[in-house]
Amino acid sequence: MPLDVEKIRKDFPILQQQVYGKPLVYLDNAATTQKPQVVIDKIAECYRTINSNIHRGVHYLSERSSEAYENSRTAVQKFINAKFPFEIIFTRGTTEAINLVAFSFGEKFIREGDEIIISAMEHHSNIVPWQMVCERKNAKLRIIPMNEEGELIVDELDRLISNRTKIIAVTHISNSLGTINPIKEIISKAHSHKIPVLIDGAQSLQHTKIDVQELDCDFYAFSGHKIYGPAGVGVLYGKEEWLNHIPPYQGGGDMIHNVTFEKTVYNKLPFKFEAGTANYIDAIGLATAIEYIQNIGIYDIAMQEHQLMQYAATKLSSIDGLKFYGTAKNKAGVISFLLQDIHPYDTGMILDKLGIAVRTGNHCTQPVMDWYKIPGTVRASFAFYNTLQEIDVLCDGLQKVKEMMG
Ligand code: PMP
């Protein structure tokens, strides 16, 4: 059923405002999404009613907050259909989740001369942690290439995989091009060689149904703030057998079972990977965001966003001098482009004064920009609360940019 977008927009107080005297047109959803009132209320309610450090107290408040935190874990587990709640590790976000795997998996399994495969369109947070492992271990990074449309050339995997390949880490949806990668195919190819796969889900869970058991991925990382939840909380999903085999990422409180000066015995999953006071309030807020998404329905969200993407692609392509970057057949969430030879920052600055929030630059995917030999792009990224009329405003804005700069 088509979503009642006008009604939905009322759930997001920030969207009601004007900037520079113009109604805000927020098209920077790939960077972060706005928060519905229920999430904002939940955070305030937690601080007002149950705030207390989790897992360490016997008193009423600590039990309430611990219970709410663990219920959030279960909500995430159900949302992505993980087999067990303890396969859900709360982190600061996607970046920390990937760093956790890169460090811990790297410590345990990566030796000199081993290889790690990533793709040509990774976010820096799925490049740099692996480079750090390679530096530490004297291992090699290998790259799945992409074509002009911004699609991965997955057949190249057959050439790239060797008996030294220890892990493959790829993004599900590219944050700079919008390409939806064929992760099922990648996972099944990798598994046929017994190689585990980490999926960077920072741009996918908000646009499409994720079932980690069906995908059969070994690790899946995402950020709360990109799925209408709070900033500063995210998730690493890992299959039990991997999480049990890799060492802790950080040491401290909560991740221990027993400590003496001679030896520490680590806690069981998931606590082994959650050293120190967790961001429990935001984890609880994340569960509220998930509930909100589920109430709207992820399939209806995907349909609404598909319509926005199609409308935007058609409207923008009628603007003379506009060139798209990332024209894959399978796309979601993001449209990247340049207008004539106008620098993306200039385009972004002028659009800003018209109340339109887009992102400009390399979007933390510098190798993608290098591939196209451009300094960056203008990126419009969509959420289900965006309207077709907002896309019209963007197109009018771009005409103004052309008049001023062209
Ligand atoms: N991967 C992708 C594909 C992303 O889009 C982002 C955020 N832009 C990240 C990873 C990093 O997410 P975070 O900054 O929330 O850790």
Side-chain angles (χ1 to χ4, degrees):
M1 226 182 35
L3 296 180
D4 184 347
V5 177
E6 282 316 314
K7 181 161 173 277
I8 282 170
R9 286 178 71 83
K10 296 203 173 84
D11 295 340
F12 293 83
I14 205 169
L15 299 179
Q16 317 306 324
Q17 68 183 303
Q18 304 223 326
V19 294
Y20 310 114
K22 306 261 184 338
L24 170 67
V25 174
Y26 186 75
L27 298 176
D28 193 19
N29 295 286
T32 200
T33 51
Q34 299 303 347
K35 319 302 169 201
Q37 187 67 49
V38 281
V39 170
I40 300 166
D41 287 347
K42 177 52 98 181
I43 293 167
E45 180 197 315
C46 286
Y47 279 121
R48 266 201 321 267
T49 60
I50 62 165
N51 179 47
S52 175
N53 207 330
I54 51 170
H55 296 155
R56 291 171 206 172
V58 288
H59 61 79
Y60 178 85
L61 289 184
S62 183
E63 285 193 358
R64 292 289 79 71
S65 59
S66 304
E67 188 186 357
Y69 179 70
E70 291 308 323
N71 286 344
S72 295
R73 198 188 304 279
T74 311
V76 174
Q77 177 215 346
K78 295 207 167 114
F79 189 48
I80 64 171
N81 195 30
K83 203 162 171 188
F84 305 110
F86 54 75
E87 292 178 319
I88 305 300
I89 313 295
F90 284 116
T91 64
R92 272 198 307 124
T94 308
T95 303
E96 192 180 44
I98 297 172
N99 273 277
L100 189 165
V101 179
F103 178 84
S104 297
F105 185 94
E107 278 305 289
K108 178 85 182 200
F109 292 112
I110 300 193
R111 304 272 167 273
E112 183 168 350
D114 282 345
E115 294 170 359
I116 296 161
I117 299 178
I118 60 170
S119 91
M121 63 177 78
E122 297 310 316
H123 188 279
H124 296 162
S125 59
N126 201 28
I127 302 174
V128 185
W130 301 111
Q131 282 175 331
M132 291 161 78
V133 180
C134 287
E135 226 167 85
R136 236 180 26 248
K137 297 286 182 159
N138 229 338
K140 273 197 221 111
L141 203 57
R142 310 202 68 190
I143 314 296
I144 310 170
M146 68 175 195
N147 62 22
E148 181 70 32
E149 285 72 38
E151 290 167 326
L152 290 184
I153 307 171
V154 177
D155 286 348
E156 284 289 303
L157 253 188
D158 297 324
R159 190 180 58 78
L160 290 169
I161 290 176
S162 77
N163 57 6
R164 300 309 303 263
T165 310
K166 286 294 174 324
I167 190 164
I168 298 178
V170 284
T171 190
H172 187 179
I173 299 181
S174 156
N175 67 304
S176 53
L177 302 170
T179 313
I180 305 175
N181 288 318
I183 51 169
K184 266 194 107 161
E185 189 188 337
I186 294 171
I187 292 164
S188 97
K189 253 187 216 282
H191 284 180
S192 69
H193 296 269
K194 299 198 166 28
I195 300 164
V197 179
L198 175 142
I199 299 297
D200 174 349
Q203 298 293 339
S204 70
L205 194 56
Q206 60 279 51
H207 299 303
T208 183
K209 172 75 195 140
I210 295 296
D211 179 330
V212 289
Q213 289 190 73
E214 205 230 335
L215 279 174
D216 201 24
C217 54
D218 301 275
F219 300 101
Y220 181 93
F222 72 90
S223 299
H225 71 97
K226 299 205 197 254
I227 68 160
Y228 312 99
V233 69
V235 166
L236 172 70
Y237 156 79
K239 280 185 186 164
E240 179 189 11
E241 54 268 39
W242 286 117
L243 293 178
N244 270 330
H245 272 101
I246 62 179
Y249 171 51
Q250 295 179 326
D254 250 22
M255 55 75 73
I256 53 90
H257 172 67
N258 190 50
V259 179
T260 64
F261 287 122
E262 286 69 41
K263 185 178 167 54
T264 289
V265 179
Y266 303 133
N267 209 340
K268 59 183 191 210
L269 292 177
F271 313 112
K272 173 177 130 182
F273 290 107
E274 295 183 357
T277 298
N279 186 355
Y280 54 95
I281 299 279
D282 290 320
I284 298 166
L286 175 60
T288 305
I290 288 173
E291 194 183 337
Y292 180 82
I293 294 170
Q294 285 174 319
N295 285 341
I296 293 182
I298 192 71
Y299 293 106
D300 289 343
I301 287 174
M303 270 174 56
Q304 160 73 6
E305 291 177 349
H306 183 66
Q307 196 196 5
L308 287 166
M309 285 285 286
Q310 280 196 321
Y311 186 77
T314 310
K315 283 267 328 195
L316 289 168
S317 61
S318 69
I319 298 176
D320 210 28
L322 186 143
K323 183 170 180 326
F324 292 111
Y325 290 88
T327 50
K329 281 182 276 311
N330 237 344
K331 281 190 62 159
V334 165
I335 293 188
S336 254
F337 58 88
L338 284 176
L339 195 53
Q340 297 172 333
D341 54 1
I342 303 167
H343 197 282
Y345 290 120
D346 293 330
T347 306
M349 297 271 281
I350 297 171
L351 291 177
D352 172 53
K353 295 293 176 289
L354 299 168
I356 306 161
V358 291
R359 189 143 296 239
T360 59
N362 63 40
H363 319 296
C364 296
T365 57
Q366 220 174 299
V368 171
M369 303 303 137
D370 292 346
W371 194 99
Y372 286 110
K373 299 190 174 54
I374 52 175
T377 68
V378 181
R379 181 185 73 182
S381 55
F382 305 103
F384 59 89
Y385 46 57
N386 288 126
T387 65
L388 301 183
Q389 195 229 333
E390 287 182 311
I391 293 167
D392 292 340
V393 174
L394 171 67
C395 292
D396 292 346
L398 290 170
Q399 295 292 4
K400 280 217 175 73
V401 174
K402 265 175 67 177
E403 280 162 29
M404 288 173 72
M405 304 291 298

